[in-house]
Amino acid sequence: MSAATVHEARALAFLARQDAGPPPADREGRADWREERRAAHDAYRTRRAIAVGTSRLDTVRRAVEAGRDIGPRRDLTEALADLEHSGMFHWLTTPYGVVWIDNER
């Protein structure tokens, strides 16, 4: 995946669409589905998604550049290992980038 393929808004919309599942066939059900999809997208944008990058390491780098505190580690590789070991976060891969997700939110 190249840096050009990272698109945060599309990555988060993709995840929200995955969470909502396929749209129902009936009109009333589609309205509820759109609302559910919108709520999931808002949750990713405002609190669950920390950053989006080309890889896990690139995602951590982008989070640090955006001001995210990753603890006392200065080396991003060590910081990534600590984050993965903590179990408080997970990673989701989309066609638009790798998304760092906060499990606590």
Side-chain angles (χ1 to χ4, degrees):
M1 184 180 305
S2 71
T5 61
V6 173
H7 194 288
E8 183 176 340
R10 288 181 180 168
L12 302 183
F14 179 89
L15 294 177
R17 173 70 162 74
Q18 294 296 319
D19 288 355
D26 67 342
R27 172 174 250 162
E28 185 176 309
R30 282 193 306 272
D32 292 341
W33 175 82
R34 279 191 295 276
E35 187 175 315
E36 180 182 339
R37 187 185 68 197
R38 190 173 303 116
H41 190 227
D42 288 345
Y44 281 116
R45 277 188 317 102
T46 60
R47 61 185 190 279
R48 292 190 64 208
I50 296 169
V52 180
T54 59
S55 66
R56 290 178 181 191
L57 188 59
D58 180 59
T59 303
V60 171
R61 180 188 58 77
R62 289 172 188 250
V64 169
E65 289 173 354
R68 176 74 180 200
D69 180 18
I70 59 169
R73 300 280 187 189
R74 293 287 183 231
D75 179 76
L76 292 181
T77 304
E78 291 177 8
L80 175 58
D82 287 350
L83 291 169
E84 289 178 336
H85 182 71
S86 76
M88 294 171 45
F89 308 99
H90 69 277
W91 310 89
L92 296 174
T93 302
T94 76
Y96 308 103
V98 176
V99 185
W100 177 8
I101 301 293
D102 186 338
N103 290 345
E104 301 296 312
R105 295 179 181 196

